[in-house]
Amino acid sequence: MALFSKQNKEALINPLNLDNPILVQVLGICSALAVTSQLKPAIVMGLAVTVITAFSNVIISLIRKTIPTRIRIIVQLVVVATLVTIVSQVLKAFAYDVSVQLSVYVGLIITNCILMGRLEAYAMTNKPWPSFLDGLGNGLGYALILVVVGAFRELFGRGTLLGFTIIPKGVYDFGYVNNGMMTMPAMALILLGCVIWVHRAFFYKDK
Protein backbone atom coordinates (compact mmCIF):
# COMPACT_ATOMS: atom_id res chain seq x y z
CA MET A 1 0.00 0.00 0.00
CA ALA A 2 1.36 3.44 -0.95
CA LEU A 3 2.33 5.70 1.90
CA PHE A 4 -0.27 8.25 0.88
CA SER A 5 -2.94 6.14 -0.75
CA LYS A 6 -6.53 7.38 -0.83
CA GLN A 7 -7.33 5.48 2.36
CA ASN A 8 -4.30 6.92 4.17
CA LYS A 9 -5.09 10.46 3.02
CA GLU A 10 -8.65 10.08 4.29
CA ALA A 11 -7.35 8.82 7.66
CA LEU A 12 -5.24 11.98 7.97
CA ILE A 13 -7.51 14.62 6.44
CA ASN A 14 -11.08 13.60 7.37
CA PRO A 15 -10.64 14.24 11.11
CA LEU A 16 -9.70 17.84 10.32
CA ASN A 17 -13.17 18.53 8.98
CA LEU A 18 -15.85 16.02 7.98
CA ASP A 19 -15.04 13.55 10.76
CA ASN A 20 -13.67 15.98 13.35
CA PRO A 21 -13.58 14.33 16.81
CA ILE A 22 -15.11 17.37 18.54
CA LEU A 23 -17.42 18.82 15.89
CA VAL A 24 -18.81 15.58 14.49
CA GLN A 25 -18.07 12.81 16.98
CA VAL A 26 -18.56 15.14 19.98
CA LEU A 27 -15.59 13.63 21.84
CA GLY A 28 -13.02 15.35 24.07
CA ILE A 29 -15.46 18.09 25.06
CA CYS A 30 -14.42 18.31 28.74
CA SER A 31 -10.80 19.30 28.09
CA ALA A 32 -11.88 21.54 25.22
CA LEU A 33 -13.91 23.59 27.70
CA ALA A 34 -11.31 23.53 30.47
CA VAL A 35 -8.09 24.63 28.74
CA THR A 36 -9.26 27.19 26.18
CA SER A 37 -9.44 30.34 28.33
CA GLN A 38 -6.12 31.33 26.72
CA LEU A 39 -4.48 30.43 23.42
CA LYS A 40 -1.13 29.15 24.72
CA PRO A 41 -2.43 26.31 26.93
CA ALA A 42 -4.91 25.42 24.18
CA ILE A 43 -2.06 25.01 21.69
CA VAL A 44 0.07 22.99 24.12
CA MET A 45 -2.85 20.74 25.06
CA GLY A 46 -3.69 20.18 21.40
CA LEU A 47 -0.09 19.28 20.54
CA ALA A 48 0.17 16.97 23.57
CA VAL A 49 -2.96 15.06 22.56
CA THR A 50 -1.75 14.91 18.94
CA VAL A 51 1.62 13.41 19.88
CA ILE A 52 0.10 10.93 22.33
CA THR A 53 -2.68 9.86 19.95
CA ALA A 54 -0.30 9.35 17.03
CA PHE A 55 2.32 7.34 18.89
CA SER A 56 -0.09 5.31 21.02
CA ASN A 57 -1.82 4.30 17.78
CA VAL A 58 1.52 3.15 16.34
CA ILE A 59 2.49 1.18 19.44
CA ILE A 60 -0.87 -0.57 19.74
CA SER A 61 -0.88 -1.33 16.01
CA LEU A 62 2.58 -2.90 16.27
CA ILE A 63 1.60 -5.23 19.12
CA ARG A 64 -2.09 -5.69 18.25
CA LYS A 65 -1.71 -9.34 17.24
CA THR A 66 -0.07 -10.25 20.55
CA ILE A 67 -2.63 -8.55 22.83
CA PRO A 68 -5.16 -10.98 24.38
CA THR A 69 -8.67 -9.68 23.68
CA ARG A 70 -9.75 -9.83 27.32
CA ILE A 71 -7.02 -7.42 28.48
CA ARG A 72 -6.75 -5.16 25.43
CA ILE A 73 -8.22 -2.12 27.25
CA ILE A 74 -5.72 -2.51 30.08
CA VAL A 75 -2.83 -2.71 27.60
CA GLN A 76 -4.11 0.39 25.80
CA LEU A 77 -4.34 2.30 29.07
CA VAL A 78 -0.79 1.30 30.04
CA VAL A 79 0.57 2.53 26.69
CA VAL A 80 -1.34 5.82 26.89
CA ALA A 81 -0.42 6.37 30.56
CA THR A 82 3.27 5.88 29.75
CA LEU A 83 3.16 8.43 26.92
CA VAL A 84 1.14 10.89 29.03
CA THR A 85 3.72 10.63 31.83
CA ILE A 86 6.55 11.34 29.38
CA VAL A 87 4.73 14.35 27.90
CA SER A 88 3.87 15.65 31.37
CA GLN A 89 7.52 15.49 32.47
CA VAL A 90 8.67 17.22 29.27
CA LEU A 91 6.17 20.04 29.86
CA LYS A 92 7.31 20.46 33.45
CA ALA A 93 10.92 20.63 32.29
CA PHE A 94 10.54 23.00 29.33
CA ALA A 95 7.19 24.80 29.77
CA TYR A 96 6.51 24.79 33.47
CA ASP A 97 4.16 27.79 33.45
CA VAL A 98 1.93 26.13 30.84
CA SER A 99 2.11 22.86 32.76
CA VAL A 100 0.76 24.66 35.83
CA GLN A 101 -2.03 26.25 33.76
CA LEU A 102 -3.06 22.88 32.35
CA SER A 103 -3.00 21.43 35.88
CA VAL A 104 -4.60 17.97 36.07
CA TYR A 105 -5.85 18.04 32.49
CA VAL A 106 -2.59 16.67 31.09
CA GLY A 107 -2.97 13.61 33.30
CA LEU A 108 -6.59 13.28 32.27
CA ILE A 109 -5.48 12.75 28.66
CA ILE A 110 -5.25 9.11 29.77
CA THR A 111 -9.06 8.95 29.83
CA ASN A 112 -9.62 11.11 26.76
CA CYS A 113 -12.30 9.32 24.74
CA ILE A 114 -10.68 10.37 21.44
CA LEU A 115 -7.56 8.41 22.33
CA MET A 116 -9.32 5.29 23.51
CA GLY A 117 -11.74 5.44 20.60
CA ARG A 118 -8.98 5.55 17.97
CA LEU A 119 -7.02 2.77 19.66
CA GLU A 120 -10.04 0.50 19.83
CA ALA A 121 -11.65 1.39 16.49
CA TYR A 122 -8.58 1.86 14.29
CA ALA A 123 -5.18 0.87 15.70
CA MET A 124 -6.35 -2.60 16.77
CA THR A 125 -7.31 -3.46 13.18
CA ASN A 126 -4.83 -1.52 11.01
CA LYS A 127 -1.11 -1.39 10.26
CA PRO A 128 1.24 1.10 11.98
CA TRP A 129 1.51 3.73 9.21
CA PRO A 130 -2.24 4.19 8.63
CA SER A 131 -2.70 4.11 12.42
CA PHE A 132 -0.11 6.86 12.81
CA LEU A 133 -1.87 9.02 10.21
CA ASP A 134 -5.24 8.38 11.86
CA GLY A 135 -3.87 9.38 15.27
CA LEU A 136 -2.15 12.43 13.83
CA GLY A 137 -5.28 13.54 11.98
CA ASN A 138 -7.57 13.13 14.97
CA GLY A 139 -5.10 14.91 17.25
CA LEU A 140 -4.76 17.83 14.85
CA GLY A 141 -8.54 17.97 14.39
CA TYR A 142 -8.92 18.20 18.16
CA ALA A 143 -6.12 20.80 18.41
CA LEU A 144 -7.66 22.92 15.64
CA ILE A 145 -10.89 23.43 17.58
CA LEU A 146 -9.01 24.17 20.81
CA VAL A 147 -6.96 26.84 19.02
CA VAL A 148 -10.03 28.47 17.45
CA VAL A 149 -11.96 28.60 20.73
CA GLY A 150 -8.88 29.59 22.75
CA ALA A 151 -7.96 32.42 20.39
CA PHE A 152 -11.51 33.80 20.39
CA ARG A 153 -11.81 33.65 24.19
CA GLU A 154 -8.43 35.25 24.87
CA LEU A 155 -8.89 37.99 22.27
CA PHE A 156 -12.29 39.14 23.45
CA GLY A 157 -11.83 38.23 27.10
CA ARG A 158 -8.37 39.72 27.63
CA GLY A 159 -7.58 41.72 24.50
CA THR A 160 -4.46 39.62 23.89
CA LEU A 161 -3.20 36.62 21.92
CA LEU A 162 -0.37 34.50 23.35
CA GLY A 163 0.05 37.26 25.94
CA PHE A 164 0.64 40.00 23.37
CA THR A 165 -1.78 42.94 23.35
CA ILE A 166 -3.84 42.89 20.15
CA ILE A 167 -6.64 45.38 20.81
CA PRO A 168 -5.08 48.90 20.70
CA LYS A 169 -5.28 51.20 23.72
CA GLY A 170 -7.23 53.68 21.62
CA VAL A 171 -10.11 51.21 21.36
CA TYR A 172 -10.31 51.07 25.15
CA ASP A 173 -10.21 54.88 25.28
CA PHE A 174 -13.39 54.88 23.18
CA GLY A 175 -15.12 52.81 25.87
CA TYR A 176 -14.41 49.23 24.82
CA VAL A 177 -14.30 46.80 27.75
CA ASN A 178 -12.98 43.24 27.75
CA ASN A 179 -15.76 40.66 28.01
CA GLY A 180 -15.17 38.86 31.32
CA MET A 181 -17.66 36.17 30.33
CA MET A 182 -15.17 34.92 27.73
CA THR A 183 -12.82 33.73 30.47
CA MET A 184 -15.52 31.58 32.12
CA PRO A 185 -16.12 27.89 31.30
CA ALA A 186 -19.78 28.58 30.49
CA MET A 187 -18.74 30.79 27.58
CA ALA A 188 -16.47 28.03 26.27
CA LEU A 189 -19.51 25.75 26.07
CA ILE A 190 -21.53 28.40 24.24
CA LEU A 191 -18.69 29.13 21.78
CA LEU A 192 -18.12 25.44 21.13
CA GLY A 193 -21.82 25.00 20.48
CA CYS A 194 -21.71 27.88 18.00
CA VAL A 195 -18.71 26.37 16.20
CA ILE A 196 -20.49 23.01 15.94
CA TRP A 197 -23.65 24.75 14.67
CA VAL A 198 -21.76 26.72 11.98
CA HIS A 199 -19.80 23.63 10.90
CA ARG A 200 -22.90 21.47 10.54
CA ALA A 201 -24.90 24.23 8.84
CA PHE A 202 -22.12 24.72 6.28
CA PHE A 203 -21.05 21.13 5.60
CA TYR A 204 -24.33 19.30 6.09
CA LYS A 205 -26.82 21.53 4.30
CA ASP A 206 -28.39 18.68 2.35
CA LYS A 207 -28.95 16.68 5.55
Side-chain angles (χ1 to χ4, degrees):
M1 182 181 291
L3 287 180
F4 289 100
S5 63
K6 182 180 179 181
Q7 181 181 351
N8 287 349
K9 287 180 180 178
E10 288 177 352
L12 176 64
I13 296 173
N14 282 1
L16 299 177
N17 184 12
L18 296 178
D19 198 24
N20 188 278
I22 293 181
L23 300 183
V24 180
Q25 302 175 49
V26 197
L27 300 175
I29 297 295
C30 297
S31 55
L33 301 181
V35 303
T36 54
S37 61
Q38 295 183 54
L39 181 56
K40 189 174 181 180
I43 292 174
V44 173
M45 185 67 168
L47 290 176
V49 170
T50 300
V51 169
I52 293 168
T53 306
F55 285 99
S56 61
N57 263 19
V58 171
I59 294 170
I60 292 299
S61 177
L62 286 170
I63 63 175
R64 68 188 188 281
K65 294 182 180 179
T66 65
I67 302 175
T69 303
R70 64 183 182 278
I71 63 167
R72 69 187 189 284
I73 301 298
I74 297 174
V75 174
Q76 292 168 13
L77 284 172
V78 169
V79 170
V80 172
T82 302
L83 291 173
V84 167
T85 301
I86 293 171
V87 169
S88 178
Q89 294 303 312
V90 170
L91 285 177
K92 288 178 180 178
F94 298 102
Y96 183 75
D97 57 332
V98 179
S99 176
V100 171
Q101 281 182 288
L102 292 175
S103 183
V104 299
Y105 294 104
V106 173
L108 289 176
I109 293 175
I110 296 171
T111 59
N112 192 309
C113 40
I114 297 173
L115 270 149
M116 300 308 297
R118 299 326 299 166
L119 293 176
E120 184 70 10
Y122 201 92
M124 287 294 292
T125 56
N126 287 277
K127 293 182 179 180
W129 176 245
S131 296
F132 174 77
L133 294 178
D134 177 79
L136 185 65
N138 276 275
L140 290 175
Y142 168 84
L144 175 63
I145 305 306
L146 260 64
V147 168
V148 170
V149 175
F152 199 91
R153 291 180 68 192
E154 182 177 352
L155 179 61
F156 291 99
R158 303 171 189 268
T160 63
L161 281 177
L162 295 175
F164 297 100
T165 301
I166 300 297
I167 299 178
K169 186 177 183 298
V171 175
Y172 291 103
D173 293 338
F174 275 107
Y176 177 80
V177 178
N178 289 331
N179 188 341
M181 276 288 291
M182 286 291 177
T183 62
M184 300 175 66
M187 200 63 202
L189 181 61
I190 294 171
L191 282 175
L192 195 56
C194 291
V195 172
I196 293 174
W197 169 50
V198 171
H199 179 267
R200 296 193 177 187
F202 185 78
F203 288 100
Y204 297 91
K205 290 179 181 180
D206 294 338
K207 296 182 180 179

